[in-house]
Amino acid sequence: MACTSKEQFHQDINELNQELKPREQIAPVQTMKLNRGGLIIKTSEGPIQFGLPPETVKDSMSLGVEVPTFYIIPTQRFNKQFGINVAEFEFPAYFNFFIKKRQVTLICDAETANSIKIVFQETLLGPQDFSQIQKDYHPDVDPVEYVDFKKELAIFAKNPMNQNEKLTSDTLLKFIIFENNVAQIGKVKIVKEEKEFTIFDNDNLLISFPDKFSFPKEYDKLLSLHKTDSSGKSEIAPPSLTIMKKIKHGKKPPSLTQNFDEIDSDEENEDIGSMPNLLMWNKNGEAKLQKKGSIEVNEGLTFQAPEFGVTVLGCSHGFDPKGSTSGYIFWINGRGIMVDPPPYTSYHLKKMGIPPIMISAIIISHCHADHDAGAFHKILDDSKVEIITTRTIMYSFLRKYSAISNLSQDQIKSLFTFRPAILGIPLNIYGAEFEFFYAFHSIPCIGFRVRYQNKSIYFSGDTFYDPVKIEELYKQGHLNQARCKQLNSPKFTEDIILHEAGVPPIHTPQTVLSQLPNQVKNRMYLVHVAAKDVLKGSGLKVAKPGIENTLILIRPNFQQDIPLNRKMDIISRIDIFDKLTLNNAKFLLDALKLEQYKEGELVIQENQEGHKFYIIESGLAKVFSDQKDNKFQRYLQSGDYFGESALIQTGRRRASVLAVTDLKVLSLDKHDFWFIFGDGFEGQGPVIEQMMQLMEARKQQAIQILFKNSHFSQLTPTQKTQLEMIMQQKDVSKGQVLWKKDDQATFVFFIRKGAFVFIDCDEAKLEEFDSGSFIGEINAILQGGQLTTTIKAIREGSILQIEAKAFAKFLQRNPGLLLLFQESKYLE
């Protein structure tokens, strides 16, 4: 790694080492469970850690214990449920090598070692092949302006302790491979058995533990936010509306990312509050975070994203035990684009009241773990998301995560929509103009400028910005003139400048940024740096993380009508409108009218005549009924709809809808509803048919069956609605065989009533399945293959049947569920 003096590098490292001295008051322990999961075992050869979730190195640092150099890699390295890599060795390796000047040793089998080497190639040194680099650029760009990555990455690929030595994965990593299920470290022997590891020290049994990484219970609770009512009668709150507990005892849950002030769910008294943390705005565009369970929202406030601005989710780096790694939401026209989301972020956003529908895309700047770990997590969260980056970075991401997850690159591609970032031309994304560029980093990394209306934001990406040093590299022949000019050309005229300021030599020295004019520094916010490390008296400042500190350039305009592209965005993400023709979608956009309701106002009243259908544009609404035989409540947010039942069937409202916060809805009159969704002659069109199927499923209380299933009860409200729309109740007689081995897979089902068993197949040894169980061979459904089981009813009952094509489409819309369930034949 070049670009700075060896003396400066060691000075930075020595300062960090002083801060990281173990705390003397912490007594040595034989074993230690880590906050983020995993286990440290003390041995005569030094501490050995099992499991490496993202940011694990911060656990040791926070506890004041030595960061281990030995790591046992779990057999299952990737948690499919949460989309999280639990063998994230990058930062333990970086910490030990660059801070402690020593290697780490990974203990695993040969296949895992090969996968890890593939990952480290992408993250430490970058891609090896740049023969297709021209595809990253617009055809009008002169090839002389293409980045010569082979030359450029070689600048950084040097051992900082010995500039004459090339940096390789072997410089940082060693492997001890299990041979005959045994790995030896001096006097310590690790035995790998079928489902556990056993460690002996000096031939004495030290410990046995499962070969399965588990998140701590508190974390598992935070990651699994989809709450259900134990009675199965009603859905208390969707994941982004998780009920927040009023602080009674001053205790806080463990923080997955350090910058959010979180509040526990109240398990004993679920009705003390029914709101998430909400970002509120007053008429002057000032933001306020409404926390806890209170619904005492100040008058004149409403929940809505800014027209243009940025929320910093984390602004620190991978070695800061008190801060979260950098991540952002760029708000454009009320829609969010996440940039380098930190691990677990999507779940925190849900807790804070930001529904998934508000996050339209992810930008991945590069493939270091502190920038891409949360991206895969978000990919698997809820419905399919769009990823924006260059082709070079995308293919690096695919190679890396294929090696991490054991999924093929084609399987990973199917989980998201890829939008290539093209360099050399402005790209219109959601109404804003993006200009992407390659930053100067140890692996390919992008930054960008984004302009919306007459305002703009600059995002540097991870980069080494030092005009003097860059000029020197040009004179030494490491960079050509065009690249030198591009790297030294930022004018910093944007309204907001987010600039990284990590530790050189692969990040920008603060001393360089401190020399910028005050009028630039006033608009500049540092990221990728801990607040305590900002140079005193430099005029520089760190971006404050948290949704309440959102930087706003254009505030929401509550008086204006909703723009056409925003309407289109909302209806395009509502599943039930999939069957609309292009003409009918145009008619719908023309007919939708904006209505606004104040907090506490009724939108519709139960038992009154219904004449309108509604779609929520922004805010929070409660649907409820106080009727003795129909008592329930549920919460709706942006992208949810209500009011269809009265227009299709009864004519009267079956429930009331209350504005919990100020509420914006798009309404559709009854005559337009039937014209657009019907067949033109008062008959049912495909949209109304789906609505009627949904109403029938709710009449049969299908949702209660989902609540009984430990897997499907975790689905989001949107996912549950998708399932309800494709379910059909069927009666089943005792002794009826629903399908036989070697038949084609034509449907799956949930058991509503009765009991079922597998027969004449390997699964016949299983106990009987009853209400709530899901039966279906997912692989056979997806591949159109033959069944490997036979299923029979042993008692009379009923099922909720879903046709194969409809269920396959449901899984394709929800990549996280596809990944989690694809090998399943039953789920209880």
Side-chain angles (χ1 to χ4, degrees), residues 415-426:
L415 300 176
F416 56 86
T417 301
F418 174 45
R419 180 190 285 209
I422 304 298
L423 282 61
I425 188 172

Side-chain angles (χ1 to χ4, degrees), residues 229-246:
D229 183 350
S230 58
S231 70
K233 176 65 179 172
S234 65
E235 185 165 356
I236 298 296
S240 58
L241 307 176
T242 302
I243 295 170
M244 297 298 165
K245 178 179 179 182
K246 294 178 180 177

Side-chain angles (χ1 to χ4, degrees), residues 603-604 612-614 616 623 636 640-644 657 665:
V603 183
I604 60 176
K612 291 181 181 178
F613 170 72
Y614 300 90
I616 296 179
V623 184
L636 304 178
D640 289 328
Y641 58 87
F642 59 91
E644 71 279 8
V657 177
V665 295

